[in-house]
Amino acid sequence: MSENLSPEEMIRANAEMVLAVARNEFQQDIGFDAAGVRWLDGYIQGLVDKGEVDTSETLCDNLGSFLGTCIIEAYGGRWQDTEHGWAIVLDGDLAVFPFNKVLKHLTEGAEDSVLSLFNGIPALRAHASGTGDATAAAIIEPAEPPQSGSQSLMSRIGGLFRRR
């Protein structure tokens, strides 16, 4: 089935999978919005706090698909395959990298939280357009592709999308 889907359709399928797992396994009725990102942030930080970090490509793909879909629903933008990997492109050249941000949160902890990226997008936009305070915006740099790790519930589900 995944062979017939475009990359964007595969990303959406992964994002929908995260919604289903949140509802079925964690009894969390979340959506593609700020509340969903808060849940995602707590889920990832819980893994970090318990020492159950899984940096597998599957987990990063699933959670990054969900984060990116939330960003698009809240702020607009579109998925684009860039030289640094898949990104959400906002306002011309401004791009954020949800898959890489998930990996950074898993490996660096709360200081690189997915919620900080989500909440920081208005400041990034203001900075990029020259209308905001330059100190309020952070530079979002792509991370290296994830290496295989231990199996979590999310990674066992299986991802449809793979970065190149």
Side-chain angles (χ1 to χ4, degrees), residues 63-120:
L63 300 182
S65 294
F66 179 78
L67 175 60
T69 301
C70 290
I71 290 169
I72 290 172
E73 292 292 324
Y75 300 111
R78 61 183 165 69
W79 285 104
Q80 183 175 322
D81 190 6
T82 73
E83 65 183 281
H84 300 294
W86 282 89
I88 303 295
V89 177
L90 304 150
D91 304 330
D93 291 337
L94 177 62
V96 295
F97 297 83
F99 300 108
N100 297 327
K101 191 60 173 181
V102 166
L103 177 62
K104 282 183 148 185
H105 191 162
L106 285 165
T107 58
E108 304 298 324
E111 68 187 46
D112 264 314
S113 80
V114 294
L115 187 58
S116 68
L117 170 63
F118 185 83
N119 289 337

Side-chain angles (χ1 to χ4, degrees), residues 39-60:
W39 176 85
L40 176 64
D41 192 78
Y43 175 76
I44 293 171
Q45 193 57 45
L47 293 175
V48 171
D49 292 345
K50 293 177 199 171
E52 297 176 2
V53 174
D54 174 0
T55 58
S56 70
E57 188 172 358
T58 300
L59 181 66
C60 291

